[in-house]
Amino acid sequence: MRKIELNARRQSKAIWVGSVTIGGGAPIIVQSMTNTDTRDVMSTINQIKELEEVDCELVRVAVPDMEAARAIGEIKRGISIPLVADIHFDYRLALAALEAGCDCLRLNPGNIDEPKKVSAVARAAKERGVPIRIGLNAGSMPKKVNPEMSVAERMVEAALEQIRLLESLDFDLIKVSLKAFDVPTTIEAYRSIAEKVPYPLHIGITEAGLPRTGIIRSAVGIGTLLYMGIGDTIRVSLTTHPREEVIAGYEILKSLDLRQHGPVLVSCPTCGRTEVDLFRLAEEVADRLAVIKKPIKVAVMGCVVNGPGEAKDADIGIACGKGRGVLFRKGEKLRTIEEKDFVRALMAEVERL
Ligand code: SF4
Protein backbone atom coordinates (compact mmCIF):
# COMPACT_ATOMS: atom_id res chain seq x y z
CA MET A 1 0.00 0.00 0.00
CA ARG A 2 1.36 3.40 -0.95
CA LYS A 3 2.01 5.47 2.13
CA ILE A 4 0.54 8.96 2.00
CA GLU A 5 3.11 11.45 3.26
CA LEU A 6 2.04 13.42 6.29
CA ASN A 7 1.05 16.93 5.34
CA ALA A 8 1.47 16.39 1.59
CA ARG A 9 -1.95 17.13 0.16
CA ARG A 10 -3.35 14.34 -1.98
CA GLN A 11 -3.62 15.37 -5.61
CA SER A 12 -7.23 15.34 -6.71
CA LYS A 13 -9.14 16.30 -9.79
CA ALA A 14 -10.74 19.75 -9.56
CA ILE A 15 -14.49 20.09 -9.91
CA TRP A 16 -16.63 23.21 -9.81
CA VAL A 17 -19.73 23.50 -7.68
CA GLY A 18 -21.20 26.75 -8.95
CA SER A 19 -18.39 29.27 -8.43
CA VAL A 20 -16.52 27.16 -5.89
CA THR A 21 -13.56 24.95 -6.83
CA ILE A 22 -13.21 21.70 -4.94
CA GLY A 23 -10.02 19.69 -5.21
CA GLY A 24 -7.10 20.22 -7.55
CA GLY A 25 -5.15 21.99 -4.79
CA ALA A 26 -7.85 24.63 -4.18
CA PRO A 27 -8.34 25.78 -0.56
CA ILE A 28 -10.28 23.29 1.55
CA ILE A 29 -13.92 24.37 1.39
CA VAL A 30 -16.06 24.68 4.52
CA GLN A 31 -19.67 23.64 4.06
CA SER A 32 -22.78 23.02 6.08
CA MET A 33 -26.38 21.89 5.73
CA THR A 34 -29.58 23.69 6.61
CA ASN A 35 -32.00 22.21 9.14
CA THR A 36 -35.02 24.21 8.05
CA ASP A 37 -37.88 22.72 6.04
CA THR A 38 -36.62 23.28 2.47
CA ARG A 39 -40.22 23.87 1.34
CA ASP A 40 -40.26 26.89 3.65
CA VAL A 41 -38.30 29.07 1.26
CA MET A 42 -37.98 32.16 3.48
CA SER A 43 -36.75 30.24 6.53
CA THR A 44 -34.26 28.36 4.41
CA ILE A 45 -32.96 31.52 2.74
CA ASN A 46 -32.68 33.21 6.13
CA GLN A 47 -30.69 30.34 7.57
CA ILE A 48 -28.38 30.24 4.56
CA LYS A 49 -27.80 33.98 4.99
CA GLU A 50 -26.82 33.31 8.61
CA LEU A 51 -24.37 30.73 7.29
CA GLU A 52 -23.01 33.19 4.74
CA GLU A 53 -22.36 35.64 7.58
CA VAL A 54 -19.87 33.17 9.09
CA ASP A 55 -18.37 32.53 5.63
CA CYS A 56 -19.93 29.18 4.86
CA GLU A 57 -18.83 28.47 1.29
CA LEU A 58 -21.27 25.78 0.19
CA VAL A 59 -24.66 24.77 1.55
CA ARG A 60 -26.68 21.57 1.26
CA VAL A 61 -30.42 21.35 1.63
CA ALA A 62 -32.54 18.24 2.16
CA VAL A 63 -34.88 17.37 -0.71
CA PRO A 64 -37.46 15.00 0.77
CA ASP A 65 -40.17 15.61 -1.84
CA MET A 66 -41.04 17.36 -5.10
CA GLU A 67 -42.14 20.56 -3.40
CA ALA A 68 -38.70 20.83 -1.78
CA ALA A 69 -36.99 20.13 -5.13
CA ARG A 70 -38.99 22.86 -6.83
CA ALA A 71 -38.26 25.32 -3.99
CA ILE A 72 -34.56 25.23 -4.90
CA GLY A 73 -34.98 27.73 -7.73
CA GLU A 74 -36.42 30.38 -5.45
CA ILE A 75 -33.94 29.62 -2.66
CA LYS A 76 -31.07 30.02 -5.13
CA ARG A 77 -32.28 33.49 -6.08
CA GLY A 78 -32.10 34.59 -2.43
CA ILE A 79 -28.58 33.35 -1.59
CA SER A 80 -25.00 33.95 -2.71
CA ILE A 81 -23.29 30.58 -2.18
CA PRO A 82 -23.65 27.41 -4.28
CA LEU A 83 -26.32 24.94 -3.27
CA VAL A 84 -26.16 21.15 -3.07
CA ALA A 85 -29.39 19.15 -3.24
CA ASP A 86 -29.41 16.17 -0.89
CA ILE A 87 -31.29 13.27 -2.49
CA HIS A 88 -32.28 9.92 -1.03
CA PHE A 89 -34.55 7.13 -2.29
CA ASP A 90 -36.15 8.80 -5.32
CA TYR A 91 -34.02 9.63 -8.36
CA ARG A 92 -36.84 11.79 -9.76
CA LEU A 93 -36.13 14.28 -6.97
CA ALA A 94 -32.58 14.58 -8.33
CA LEU A 95 -33.94 15.32 -11.81
CA ALA A 96 -36.30 17.95 -10.38
CA ALA A 97 -33.48 19.53 -8.31
CA LEU A 98 -31.34 19.78 -11.45
CA GLU A 99 -34.26 21.34 -13.28
CA ALA A 100 -34.61 23.87 -10.44
CA GLY A 101 -30.95 24.86 -10.78
CA CYS A 102 -29.03 23.15 -7.96
CA ASP A 103 -25.22 23.43 -8.25
CA CYS A 104 -24.47 19.89 -7.11
CA LEU A 105 -26.33 16.71 -6.22
CA ARG A 106 -25.67 14.36 -3.36
CA LEU A 107 -26.80 10.83 -4.09
CA ASN A 108 -26.73 8.05 -1.53
CA PRO A 109 -25.81 4.72 -3.18
CA GLY A 110 -27.35 3.09 -0.11
CA ASN A 111 -30.81 3.96 -1.38
CA ILE A 112 -30.41 4.91 -5.07
CA ASP A 113 -28.30 2.33 -6.85
CA GLU A 114 -30.34 1.02 -9.75
CA PRO A 115 -28.11 1.65 -12.78
CA LYS A 116 -31.02 2.84 -14.91
CA LYS A 117 -31.99 5.51 -12.40
CA VAL A 118 -28.45 6.63 -11.63
CA SER A 119 -27.77 6.85 -15.37
CA ALA A 120 -30.79 9.08 -15.93
CA VAL A 121 -29.53 11.43 -13.21
CA ALA A 122 -25.95 11.39 -14.53
CA ARG A 123 -27.10 12.26 -18.05
CA ALA A 124 -29.17 15.21 -16.82
CA ALA A 125 -26.33 16.39 -14.56
CA LYS A 126 -23.82 16.13 -17.37
CA GLU A 127 -25.94 18.26 -19.68
CA ARG A 128 -25.83 21.00 -17.06
CA GLY A 129 -22.22 20.49 -15.92
CA VAL A 130 -23.45 19.75 -12.40
CA PRO A 131 -21.28 17.50 -10.20
CA ILE A 132 -22.56 14.57 -8.17
CA ARG A 133 -21.36 13.67 -4.70
CA ILE A 134 -21.49 9.97 -4.09
CA GLY A 135 -22.29 10.14 -0.40
CA LEU A 136 -22.01 6.87 1.50
CA ASN A 137 -23.05 6.62 5.13
CA ALA A 138 -22.15 3.66 7.33
CA GLY A 139 -25.74 3.65 8.54
CA SER A 140 -27.32 3.29 5.09
CA MET A 141 -25.27 0.88 3.05
CA PRO A 142 -26.45 -0.91 -0.10
CA LYS A 143 -27.70 -4.37 0.90
CA LYS A 144 -25.93 -6.22 -1.88
CA VAL A 145 -22.42 -5.34 -0.66
CA ASN A 146 -20.57 -8.32 0.85
CA PRO A 147 -21.46 -8.49 4.56
CA GLU A 148 -18.17 -10.29 5.29
CA MET A 149 -16.25 -7.09 4.61
CA SER A 150 -15.53 -4.46 7.26
CA VAL A 151 -17.80 -1.41 7.31
CA ALA A 152 -15.03 0.69 5.77
CA GLU A 153 -14.44 -1.84 2.99
CA ARG A 154 -18.16 -2.03 2.29
CA MET A 155 -18.41 1.75 2.00
CA VAL A 156 -15.44 1.82 -0.37
CA GLU A 157 -16.85 -1.03 -2.45
CA ALA A 158 -20.27 0.61 -2.74
CA ALA A 159 -18.70 3.94 -3.71
CA LEU A 160 -16.47 2.28 -6.31
CA GLU A 161 -19.43 0.55 -7.86
CA GLN A 162 -21.28 3.82 -8.35
CA ILE A 163 -18.11 5.59 -9.52
CA ARG A 164 -17.60 2.90 -12.18
CA LEU A 165 -21.18 3.31 -13.31
CA LEU A 166 -20.80 7.09 -13.65
CA GLU A 167 -17.47 6.68 -15.43
CA SER A 168 -19.04 4.25 -17.87
CA LEU A 169 -21.41 7.07 -18.79
CA ASP A 170 -18.42 9.36 -19.34
CA PHE A 171 -19.37 11.32 -16.22
CA ASP A 172 -16.44 12.46 -14.10
CA LEU A 173 -17.74 15.48 -12.17
CA ILE A 174 -17.56 13.34 -9.07
CA LYS A 175 -16.99 14.02 -5.40
CA VAL A 176 -17.00 11.24 -2.82
CA SER A 177 -17.77 10.95 0.89
CA LEU A 178 -17.64 7.87 3.12
CA LYS A 179 -18.81 8.86 6.55
CA ALA A 180 -19.24 6.89 9.75
CA PHE A 181 -19.72 7.92 13.36
CA ASP A 182 -16.77 5.73 14.24
CA VAL A 183 -13.57 7.69 13.64
CA PRO A 184 -11.17 4.78 12.85
CA THR A 185 -13.73 3.36 10.37
CA THR A 186 -14.06 6.73 8.67
CA ILE A 187 -10.30 7.18 8.46
CA GLU A 188 -9.81 3.67 7.06
CA ALA A 189 -12.49 4.22 4.43
CA TYR A 190 -11.11 7.57 3.24
CA ARG A 191 -7.53 6.33 3.24
CA SER A 192 -8.55 3.44 1.04
CA ILE A 193 -10.67 5.41 -1.45
CA ALA A 194 -8.03 8.17 -1.63
CA GLU A 195 -5.65 5.66 -3.19
CA LYS A 196 -8.15 4.27 -5.66
CA VAL A 197 -9.81 7.25 -7.32
CA PRO A 198 -8.67 10.73 -8.43
CA TYR A 199 -11.81 12.54 -7.31
CA PRO A 200 -12.04 15.21 -4.62
CA LEU A 201 -13.18 14.01 -1.21
CA HIS A 202 -15.79 15.55 1.05
CA ILE A 203 -14.80 14.52 4.57
CA GLY A 204 -16.63 14.45 7.87
CA ILE A 205 -17.77 12.33 10.77
CA THR A 206 -21.46 11.66 10.47
CA GLU A 207 -23.94 12.41 13.26
CA ALA A 208 -21.06 13.50 15.50
CA GLY A 209 -23.48 14.67 18.21
CA LEU A 210 -23.87 17.70 20.44
CA PRO A 211 -21.24 20.43 20.12
CA ARG A 212 -19.27 19.59 23.28
CA THR A 213 -18.45 16.06 22.13
CA GLY A 214 -19.25 16.32 18.42
CA ILE A 215 -16.66 19.03 17.78
CA ILE A 216 -13.98 16.87 19.41
CA ARG A 217 -15.01 13.75 17.49
CA SER A 218 -15.10 15.72 14.23
CA ALA A 219 -11.80 17.46 14.93
CA VAL A 220 -10.08 14.14 15.63
CA GLY A 221 -11.51 12.48 12.49
CA ILE A 222 -11.34 15.39 10.07
CA GLY A 223 -8.06 16.63 11.57
CA THR A 224 -6.39 13.24 11.22
CA LEU A 225 -7.48 12.94 7.59
CA LEU A 226 -6.36 16.46 6.77
CA TYR A 227 -3.03 15.81 8.43
CA MET A 228 -2.69 12.79 6.15
CA GLY A 229 -3.30 15.12 3.22
CA ILE A 230 -6.82 13.79 2.58
CA GLY A 231 -9.86 16.02 2.14
CA ASP A 232 -10.95 18.80 -0.21
CA THR A 233 -14.07 19.99 1.55
CA ILE A 234 -15.28 19.47 5.11
CA ARG A 235 -18.57 19.38 6.92
CA VAL A 236 -18.74 19.17 10.69
CA SER A 237 -22.07 17.51 11.58
CA LEU A 238 -23.45 18.80 14.87
CA THR A 239 -26.76 18.65 16.71
CA THR A 240 -27.15 22.43 16.84
CA HIS A 241 -27.54 25.48 14.58
CA PRO A 242 -25.43 24.85 11.45
CA ARG A 243 -23.59 28.13 12.01
CA GLU A 244 -21.62 26.29 14.70
CA GLU A 245 -20.60 23.68 12.13
CA VAL A 246 -19.02 26.33 9.95
CA ILE A 247 -17.20 27.95 12.87
CA ALA A 248 -15.90 24.53 14.01
CA GLY A 249 -14.85 23.73 10.43
CA TYR A 250 -12.69 26.80 10.20
CA GLU A 251 -11.21 26.16 13.64
CA ILE A 252 -10.11 22.69 12.49
CA LEU A 253 -8.49 24.15 9.38
CA LYS A 254 -6.85 26.94 11.37
CA SER A 255 -5.48 24.45 13.90
CA LEU A 256 -3.62 22.71 11.09
CA ASP A 257 -2.60 25.98 9.42
CA LEU A 258 -4.47 24.93 6.31
CA ARG A 259 -6.53 28.10 6.11
CA GLN A 260 -6.64 31.44 7.81
CA HIS A 261 -9.99 32.74 8.93
CA GLY A 262 -10.39 35.63 11.35
CA PRO A 263 -8.55 35.90 14.65
CA VAL A 264 -7.09 33.11 16.75
CA LEU A 265 -7.46 33.58 20.50
CA VAL A 266 -4.73 32.18 22.72
CA SER A 267 -5.69 32.10 26.39
CA CYS A 268 -4.00 30.32 29.24
CA PRO A 269 -5.79 27.75 31.41
CA THR A 270 -5.08 29.86 34.55
CA CYS A 271 -3.24 28.52 37.57
CA GLY A 272 -2.30 29.49 41.11
CA ARG A 273 -0.53 32.59 39.81
CA THR A 274 -3.67 34.07 38.22
CA GLU A 275 -5.00 37.16 40.02
CA VAL A 276 -7.68 38.26 37.59
CA ASP A 277 -11.01 36.84 36.38
CA LEU A 278 -9.39 35.50 33.23
CA PHE A 279 -12.35 33.33 32.20
CA ARG A 280 -14.58 36.37 31.96
CA LEU A 281 -11.89 38.46 30.27
CA ALA A 282 -11.19 35.76 27.65
CA GLU A 283 -14.93 35.35 26.95
CA GLU A 284 -15.33 39.11 26.54
CA VAL A 285 -12.37 39.35 24.18
CA ALA A 286 -13.64 36.32 22.20
CA ASP A 287 -17.02 38.04 21.77
CA ARG A 288 -15.37 41.23 20.56
CA LEU A 289 -13.10 39.33 18.17
CA ALA A 290 -16.03 37.38 16.68
CA VAL A 291 -16.81 40.24 14.30
CA ILE A 292 -13.19 40.83 13.24
CA LYS A 293 -12.15 39.31 9.92
CA LYS A 294 -8.38 39.93 10.15
CA PRO A 295 -6.32 36.73 10.54
CA ILE A 296 -4.52 37.82 13.71
CA LYS A 297 -3.42 36.04 16.87
CA VAL A 298 -4.53 37.57 20.16
CA ALA A 299 -3.38 36.33 23.56
CA VAL A 300 -5.05 36.73 26.94
CA MET A 301 -2.71 35.44 29.64
CA GLY A 302 -3.12 35.12 33.37
CA CYS A 303 0.26 36.34 34.60
CA VAL A 304 3.08 38.66 33.76
CA VAL A 305 5.71 36.05 34.66
CA ASN A 306 5.04 33.61 31.81
CA GLY A 307 2.29 35.29 29.79
CA PRO A 308 4.23 37.25 27.16
CA GLY A 309 6.80 34.48 26.78
CA GLU A 310 4.21 31.75 26.35
CA ALA A 311 2.35 33.76 23.73
CA LYS A 312 5.29 35.43 22.05
CA ASP A 313 4.06 34.71 18.54
CA ALA A 314 0.77 36.49 19.24
CA ASP A 315 0.29 39.72 17.29
CA ILE A 316 -1.14 41.38 20.33
CA GLY A 317 -1.78 40.27 23.87
CA ILE A 318 -2.26 41.06 27.49
CA ALA A 319 -0.57 39.49 30.49
CA CYS A 320 -2.62 40.21 33.59
CA GLY A 321 -1.35 40.84 37.10
CA LYS A 322 -3.24 42.10 40.15
CA GLY A 323 -5.34 45.09 39.04
CA ARG A 324 -2.97 45.83 36.17
CA GLY A 325 -1.72 44.16 33.03
CA VAL A 326 1.02 44.40 30.48
CA LEU A 327 0.03 44.92 26.88
CA PHE A 328 2.45 43.23 24.52
CA ARG A 329 3.05 42.80 20.83
CA LYS A 330 4.94 39.75 19.52
CA GLY A 331 6.18 39.11 23.06
CA GLU A 332 7.53 42.68 23.47
CA LYS A 333 6.07 44.93 26.17
CA LEU A 334 4.13 47.97 24.91
CA ARG A 335 2.83 49.47 28.18
CA THR A 336 1.11 48.77 31.50
CA ILE A 337 -2.65 49.27 31.72
CA GLU A 338 -5.29 49.28 34.47
CA GLU A 339 -7.70 46.34 34.79
CA LYS A 340 -10.73 48.45 33.87
CA ASP A 341 -9.06 49.27 30.54
CA PHE A 342 -8.03 45.71 29.59
CA VAL A 343 -10.61 45.00 26.90
CA ARG A 344 -10.72 48.53 25.47
CA ALA A 345 -6.92 48.84 25.20
CA LEU A 346 -6.52 45.37 23.74
CA MET A 347 -9.20 45.94 21.14
CA ALA A 348 -7.76 49.36 20.24
CA GLU A 349 -4.43 47.66 19.46
CA VAL A 350 -6.23 44.96 17.47
CA GLU A 351 -7.95 47.67 15.39
CA ARG A 352 -4.61 49.42 14.87
CA LEU A 353 -2.90 46.35 13.43
S1 SF4 B 1 0.26 32.20 31.78
FE1 SF4 B 1 0.74 32.44 33.96
S2 SF4 B 1 -1.28 32.34 34.96
FE2 SF4 B 1 -1.55 31.49 32.91
S3 SF4 B 1 -1.24 29.30 33.23
FE3 SF4 B 1 0.73 30.14 32.56
S4 SF4 B 1 1.78 30.56 34.50
FE4 SF4 B 1 -0.39 30.30 35.03
Side-chain angles (χ1 to χ4, degrees), residues 268-275 278 301-307 310 320:
C268 83
T270 73
C271 71
R273 284 197 191 89
T274 323
E275 294 183 288
L278 197 83
M301 308 300 278
C303 77
V304 281
V305 184
N306 292 336
E310 284 177 12
C320 308

Side-chain angles (χ1 to χ4, degrees), residues 95 114-125 165-166 168-169:
L95 297 177
E114 262 184 73
K116 219 169 65 198
K117 295 176 178 172
V118 178
S119 305
V121 175
R123 270 194 300 274
L165 173 61
L166 293 181
S168 75
L169 300 161

Side-chain angles (χ1 to χ4, degrees), residues 50-94:
E50 288 178 296
L51 294 176
E52 288 175 359
E53 269 168 31
V54 289
D55 298 328
C56 180
E57 295 168 304
L58 197 63
V59 69
R60 181 158 47 114
V61 300
V63 183
D65 60 20
M66 276 297 171
E67 198 185 334
R70 284 191 283 266
I72 286 173
E74 209 180 327
I75 294 169
K76 282 267 304 164
R77 285 190 285 280
I79 63 172
S80 311
I81 53 177
L83 181 146
V84 184
D86 193 62
I87 312 289
H88 296 262
F89 302 109
D90 188 348
Y91 79 107
R92 289 167 300 186
L93 297 174

Side-chain angles (χ1 to χ4, degrees), residues 273-278 280-281 301-304 318-327 335-343:
R273 284 197 191 89
T274 323
E275 294 183 288
V276 67
D277 184 355
L278 197 83
R280 191 185 52 77
L281 178 62
M301 308 300 278
C303 77
V304 281
I318 186 166
C320 308
K322 194 171 187 169
R324 313 179 91 193
V326 175
L327 206 56
R335 60 181 189 279
T336 301
I337 48 175
E338 298 293 315
E339 186 169 349
K340 65 175 173 33
D341 298 326
F342 281 174
V343 177

